[in-house]
Amino acid sequence: MYHIAIVEDAAFEQKQMLDLLHRYEKEKETAFRIDVFSDGADLIRDYPQDLDILLMDIVMEKMDGLKAARLIRRQDERVILIFVTNMIQYAIQGYSVDAMDFLVKPISYTGLKTRLNRAILRLEKNPCRHIKIRDPDGVYPIPVSSICYLETYDHKTVIHTKEQAIQVNASMRSLEQELSGLPFFRCHASFLVNLSYIDKIQGNDVWVDGKRLFISRYRRKEFLEVWAAYLGG
C-alpha cells in the first residue's frame, strides 16, 4: 500500500484527483492510503507519517506549493513530489526542491498514470523504504529491506528480521497490504516471505534466511511462478 497526499485548494479538482487515483487502483489492482489537504499550510501543520507520493498544487491562498515543498524537504528528503499546476513557468521551479515531475491542469488520466508508474517504480527500487510499527511505547520504523518474513499464529503477528523477531499490533492482512507492490509473497496462510531472502525451495518447503517454512499446496504453483519471475528480473 502506498501513502499519497493531495494538496489542492479547489474542491472540484480534489475530487477529480481522487477519482483518477481510485481508477488507477482498480486498473493496477493496488491500494492507496490517501490524505487530502486544502493548502500548503495545512500540510505542514499535519504532515503525514511515512508519506510516499505528494501531489501538490503550486498556487494556493495561504501557502504556495513551492514554499511548502522547501519546508517539507527539511524533514523529508524521500517523499516523491509531483506538482500540479496550470502555470508551467512555476512548475519548472519545482526542480529546485527535487520534484520528480509536474502535471498541467486539467489533469488527464494518462498523464497521472504515467507519473504514478514512474513514482511507484522508484519506490520499489528504494531500499530505504520503511513501514511504521506501533506499540505501547510509540511508533517506530522498520526498514522493509531488513524484513525476512512475517509469521502469524495464535492471533499474533511477528516480523522476523535478521537480528530479531518483533511481535506487532497489526494483522497479517494489513501488513500484506502495506507491502503490496514489493517483493513479498504469501506462500502459506501463516507466512509472508521476502523473496530476496529465499535460500532455496524444495518440495513444499522454502528456506528463508536459514529458516524452514511451509508452502501451501494451493499456492505452490503461483509461488514458483512469482519466484522464477523475480529471479529473472
Side-chain angles (χ1 to χ4, degrees), residues 124 182-185 194-198 222-233:
E124 289 177 349
L182 297 173
F184 285 79
F185 189 87
N194 186 338
L195 301 181
S196 62
Y197 282 98
I198 291 178
E222 185 182 0
F223 185 32
L224 292 175
E225 290 172 351
V226 170
W227 172 235
Y230 177 77
L231 291 178

Side-chain angles (χ1 to χ4, degrees), residues 23 25-27 50 55 81 85 90 107-108 132 138 143 145 186 196 203:
R23 178 178 171 183
E25 285 180 298
K26 291 180 180 179
E27 181 179 314
D50 201 25
L55 299 168
L81 176 60
T85 184
Y90 288 118
I107 302 169
S108 70
K132 297 285 185 179
S145 60
R186 189 83 173 265
S196 62

Side-chain angles (χ1 to χ4, degrees), residues 124-148:
E124 289 177 349
K125 291 181 176 180
N126 182 2
C128 296
R129 187 176 178 191
H130 295 71
I131 58 173
K132 297 285 185 179
I133 299 300
R134 300 178 185 275
D135 67 12
D137 297 322
V139 181
Y140 60 96
I142 297 179
V144 169
S145 60
S146 73
I147 298 173
C148 301

